[in-house]
Amino acid sequence: MRHRSLLIMTTAITAGALTLSACGSRDDKDDSGGKDGKTTVVIGVDAPLTGSLSALGQGIKNSVDLAAKIANKNNEVDGVTFKVKSFDDQAVPSSGKANATSMVDDEDILGAVGPLNSGVAQSMQGVFDRGDLAQVSPANTNPALSQGDDWASGKKSRPFKTYFRTATTDIIQGRFAAQYYFKDAKKRKVFVIDDKQAYGNGLATIFAEEFKRLGGKVVGRDHLTVKETDFSGISNKVKSSGADSVYFGGQYPEGGLLSDQVKQAGAQVPVMGGDGIYDPAFIKASGTSNDGDLATSVGYPVEQLDSAKTFVKNYADQHYKDPYAAYGGYSYDAGWAIIQAVKAVVEDNDGKLPDDARAKITEALGKVSFDGVTGKVSFDKYGDTTNKQLTVYKVTKGAWKSVKSETFKD
């Protein structure tokens, strides 16, 4: 998406930061940061914490918070205490850019996790890069974010060295969805719809190309506008096209209503989308049964992974108000990746943070490798995750149920 929160690390809380600045080095521990004299590293989270996508954003924020708490409990980085500071982008690019500027201007912030939306990420990347501030998104899936605008032609070029993500790209997700529709669900005529956003349009386009390559037919293509609620015109087009299926590139607020109205128009066909619709809110948004609708999401179901059992238990023990939702495991892993990068930098600098901590942490992120909540966590030369696991979910009796999980192969 997407799908994606920011972990910010500061070397000292306010009073401590002044002390470090006066000393001209982050090497000195913060004598005023706490009773134990540890350096405080704040981890910032950027996500939609209010608005229609807040269900996902709150899960991202809480999961990063949990990573910081576990790191502190285990004394993961000797001499460092982690804290989290959250920023609400409301899924609006201009808000995300303003948040990125605030974080870069805060010298205490050494790394970030987020955002949720690919469109928001586009507005933040340049700001973070100019500030040498690493970001790890747990949910962005637009290929251009890491491989450049010409990725489709094979001319891949990493635009920003500070950008990383634990979610796989739509190159993988869109093709995975098309292969499931054609090979497993035996669909042959699909109507493709997107929300004209970077994530939705990109995902729908990749899906359509792969579906046609496999031998399927795209019998119609249309677009809707985010925050609109009347999709009866598009739904009637779906009905008259004779499509045996619908693919939607977009988010659950519009996706749920679209599925509702497609069926009300008389087209009893499944609506499939990406991780942007994989949320209970997709089902709740609809007044008509969504049974049979489908969604793909990055990774395997967290609840089914042995590696995630401890995360699920620890999350429950914190009694957060909101669930970890679709990106909780990836958010935890994104936060933990930054924590591991901090650990590497500190251990390589005689147990202290260097003056150029941001640059060093960015460099260290490219080399992290650990067994995370969602599996092996590491990044390739573009900053993309090396984990290509995906899952297809189907709405069954009013709830999402996994129906197929596998590691994508060309």
Side-chain angles (χ1 to χ4, degrees), residues 221-395:
R221 180 78 189 256
D222 211 334
H223 318 276
L224 56 74
T225 300
V226 172
K227 295 187 178 180
E228 285 190 351
T229 58
D230 183 1
F231 308 127
S232 57
I234 295 176
S235 299
N236 288 329
K237 291 180 183 178
V238 172
K239 169 63 176 174
S240 61
S241 71
D244 60 15
S245 53
V246 171
Y247 188 82
F248 172 60
Q251 311 283 354
Y252 59 75
E254 290 77 29
L257 294 175
L258 175 67
S259 174
D260 219 2
Q261 294 174 32
V262 164
K263 292 170 178 60
Q264 289 172 0
Q268 300 303 316
V269 299
V271 172
M272 186 180 198
D275 53 327
I277 72 167
Y278 174 58
D279 192 277
F282 170 83
I283 301 170
K284 293 177 182 176
S286 176
T288 300
S289 172
N290 292 101
D291 281 8
D293 285 345
L294 300 152
T296 54
S297 191
V298 295
Y300 288 179
V302 167
E303 297 81 0
Q304 298 178 16
L305 290 171
D306 289 339
S307 59
K309 289 180 179 177
T310 300
F311 164 75
V312 173
K313 180 182 183 303
N314 288 339
Y315 193 97
D317 289 345
Q318 292 298 318
H319 302 291
Y320 293 116
K321 180 180 178 182
D322 298 284
Y324 51 78
Y327 303 104
Y330 296 90
S331 304
Y332 186 96
D333 283 346
W336 200 255
I338 293 180
I339 290 168
Q340 291 305 303
V342 172
K343 183 177 184 178
V345 169
V346 168
E347 290 181 348
D348 197 44
N349 192 52
D350 297 326
K352 302 175 182 177
L353 284 168
D355 288 341
D356 58 344
R358 284 181 174 178
K360 286 290 196 302
I361 289 169
T362 297
E363 182 180 348
L365 264 173
K367 302 174 183 176
V368 299
S369 179
F370 60 92
D371 293 322
V373 171
T374 59
K376 194 75 174 182
V377 178
S378 60
F379 305 101
D380 65 16
K381 63 182 179 180
Y382 301 105
D384 288 331
T385 178
T386 56
N387 186 337
K388 297 182 179 179
Q389 298 170 336
L390 290 122
T391 295
V392 176
Y393 297 86
K394 177 186 286 186
V395 179

Side-chain angles (χ1 to χ4, degrees), residues 100-122:
T101 300
S102 296
M103 285 185 271
V104 167
D105 289 344
D106 186 342
E107 66 176 11
D108 292 335
I109 296 174
L110 303 182
V113 173
L116 169 71
N117 305 82
S118 293
V120 176
Q122 287 177 320

